[in-house]
């Protein structure tokens, strides 16, 4: 098991290193930060001095290794906005808002998606099953920005039950979490339904029924326990969907997270902050998948034997 976990850890480090190369190159191709920092009134001497100060007169390999060295020490540069805050501090100050929203959305989708999937499998081909599949289809088809605007109009503007924006109170999480979690809710419902249908037709479930166990115990304990393995497998992907999808959702609901920060920084061409946001999101994605891989190795003995 230790060997399998070590292999996953090495693969995660390689993935993070490769992504740092992509982020570095993209940041060099999206515009000229020197022109943005100096403005129109700068002279050529000012331009050359700033290029030398930023190290942009060095070759790309030298610039990359300088970037990696600074990143390992937590130095991602300063924001190009008027505040000139360190980019990493700016991103980390927004990170709790994004993580809390993703956590609430993921918890909501796990609970509701598992319940929908179980009932859809138990009542196979019934109206309940059709309704669950319809919700899954709608959830994977509706764009997040459109859904967020519709929910805001209905529940905040018309019914006045919920706020249109804000952060800090439980009521502020309802609309953003529902918008963010609908796509993942559809995926979890489909996964659980398919796994439950397979489990309910297996021999150990038939044996449990022959022994006289109640249908509730058979379904919610024995069948569901084995049906959750595919959900665990895709947990890293689900978390990544929450974080990356937050760019749209946080912008719609004015949520003070890193998704909205990325949007604002792109508009302002604040390259150090954009670069830091992408790298932090990438690191979160890789860490989430590493945690899922470790959990999967612990849960599934077959993975331990494969190494």
């Amino acid at each position: 098991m230790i060997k399998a976990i070590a292999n996953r850890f090495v693969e995660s480090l390689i993935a993070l290193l490769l992504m740092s190369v992509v982020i570095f190159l993209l940041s060099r191709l999206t515009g000229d930060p020197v022109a943005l920092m100096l403005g129109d009134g700068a002279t050529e001497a000012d331009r050359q001095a700033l290029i030398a100060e930023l190290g942009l007169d060095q070759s790309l390999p030298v610039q990359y290794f300088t970037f990696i060295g600074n990143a390992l020490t937590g130095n991602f540069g300063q924001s190009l906005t008027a505040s000139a805050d360190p980019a990493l501090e700016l991103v980390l100050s927004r990170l709790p808002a994004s993580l809390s929203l993703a956590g609430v959305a993921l918890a909501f989708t796990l609970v509701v998606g598992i319940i929908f999937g179980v009932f859809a499998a138990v009542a196979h081909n019934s109206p309940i099953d059709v309704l669950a599949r319809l919700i899954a289809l709608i959830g994977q088809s509706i764009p997040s920005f459109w859904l967020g605007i519709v929910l805001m109009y209905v529940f905040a503007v018309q019914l006045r039950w919920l706020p249109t924006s804000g952060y800090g109170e439980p009521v502020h999480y309802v609309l953003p979490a529902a918008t963010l979690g609908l796509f993942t809710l559809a995926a979890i419902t489909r996964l659980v339904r398919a796994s439950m249908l397979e489990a309910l037709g297996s021999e150990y479930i038939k044996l449990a029924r022959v022994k006289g166990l109640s249908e509730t115990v058979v379904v919610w304990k024995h069948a569901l326990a084995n049906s959750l393995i595919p959900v665990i497998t895709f947990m890293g992907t689900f978390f990544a969907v929450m974080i990356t999808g937050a760019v749209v959702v946080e912008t719609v609901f004015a949520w003070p997270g890193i998704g909205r920060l990325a949007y604002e920084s792109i508009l302002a061409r604040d390259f150090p902050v954009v670069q830091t946001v992408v790298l932090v999101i990438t690191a979160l994605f890789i860490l989430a998948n590493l945690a899922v891989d470790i959990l999967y190795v612990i849960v599934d003995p077959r993975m331990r034997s494969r190494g």
Side-chain angles (χ1 to χ4, degrees):
M1 183 175 69
I2 295 177
K3 181 181 178 181
I5 293 175
N7 289 337
R8 298 297 189 276
F9 183 75
V10 172
E11 291 171 1
S12 299
L13 288 179
I14 294 174
L16 185 59
L17 183 63
L18 292 176
M19 280 304 303
S20 70
V21 175
V22 174
I23 294 168
F24 171 79
L25 293 177
L26 287 178
S27 67
R28 297 302 188 274
L29 297 175
T30 52
D32 185 8
V34 174
L36 180 65
M37 296 174 68
L38 290 178
D40 297 331
T43 64
E44 182 62 25
D46 295 332
R47 176 181 172 81
Q48 294 301 323
L50 185 56
I51 289 176
E53 180 182 346
L54 296 176
L56 299 179
D57 55 342
Q58 303 291 329
S59 63
L60 282 179
V62 172
Q63 291 184 46
Y64 173 73
F65 285 113
T66 302
F67 164 71
I68 289 296
N70 291 335
L72 292 175
T73 61
N75 180 14
F76 289 87
Q78 292 183 315
S79 172
L80 303 183
T81 60
S83 63
D85 294 325
L88 184 60
E89 291 184 9
L90 194 59
V91 172
L92 292 180
S93 67
R94 301 284 194 98
L95 187 58
S98 292
L99 291 180
S100 63
L101 177 60
V104 172
L106 188 57
F108 161 74
T109 55
L110 281 174
V111 173
V112 178
I114 289 173
I115 293 175
F116 278 7
V118 170
F119 278 107
V122 172
H124 183 50
N125 289 332
S126 69
I128 296 177
D129 185 21
V130 174
L131 177 61
R133 283 186 289 172
L134 179 62
I135 293 174
L137 178 62
I138 293 175
Q140 292 183 315
S141 305
I142 297 179
S144 296
F145 73 90
W146 185 85
L147 176 63
I149 293 173
V150 170
L151 292 179
M152 186 187 300
Y153 177 76
V154 173
F155 293 101
V157 177
Q158 294 295 322
L159 299 177
R160 300 182 183 275
W161 289 354
L162 299 167
T164 58
S165 61
Y167 170 68
E169 298 295 331
V171 70
H172 293 139
Y173 285 85
V174 177
L175 291 182
T179 303
L180 187 59
L182 185 60
F183 181 85
T184 308
L185 171 63
I188 292 176
T189 300
R190 293 168 67 103
L191 276 175
V192 174
R193 177 184 177 274
S195 298
M196 283 290 296
L197 286 174
E198 182 179 354
L200 290 173
S202 61
E203 294 298 326
Y204 73 91
I205 293 297
K206 295 177 182 178
L207 179 61
R209 286 170 172 160
V210 169
K211 288 182 177 180
L213 296 178
S214 66
E215 190 66 15
T216 301
V217 174
V218 170
V219 170
W220 292 98
K221 182 179 180 180
H222 296 284
L224 181 60
N226 290 277
S227 300
L228 291 180
I229 292 180
V231 177
I232 294 175
T233 305
F234 286 95
M235 281 293 293
T237 303
F238 294 154
F239 181 79
V241 169
M242 297 295 181
I243 296 296
T244 56
V247 175
V248 174
V249 175
E250 288 180 5
T251 302
V252 170
F253 292 98
W255 192 265
I258 59 175
R260 184 183 175 195
L261 176 64
Y263 173 75
E264 295 171 346
S265 300
I266 291 171
L267 292 181
R269 297 179 66 189
D270 194 344
F271 299 118
V273 175
V274 174
Q275 190 171 262
T276 306
V277 169
V278 175
L279 192 58
V280 168
I281 290 177
T282 302
L284 289 174
F285 174 75
I286 292 174
L287 288 174
N289 280 278
L290 176 61
V292 171
D293 286 341
I294 294 174
L295 180 61
Y296 199 55
V297 168
I298 295 173
V299 170
D300 194 343
R302 295 170 299 178
M303 296 297 295
R304 294 198 294 269
S305 62
R306 292 173 188 171

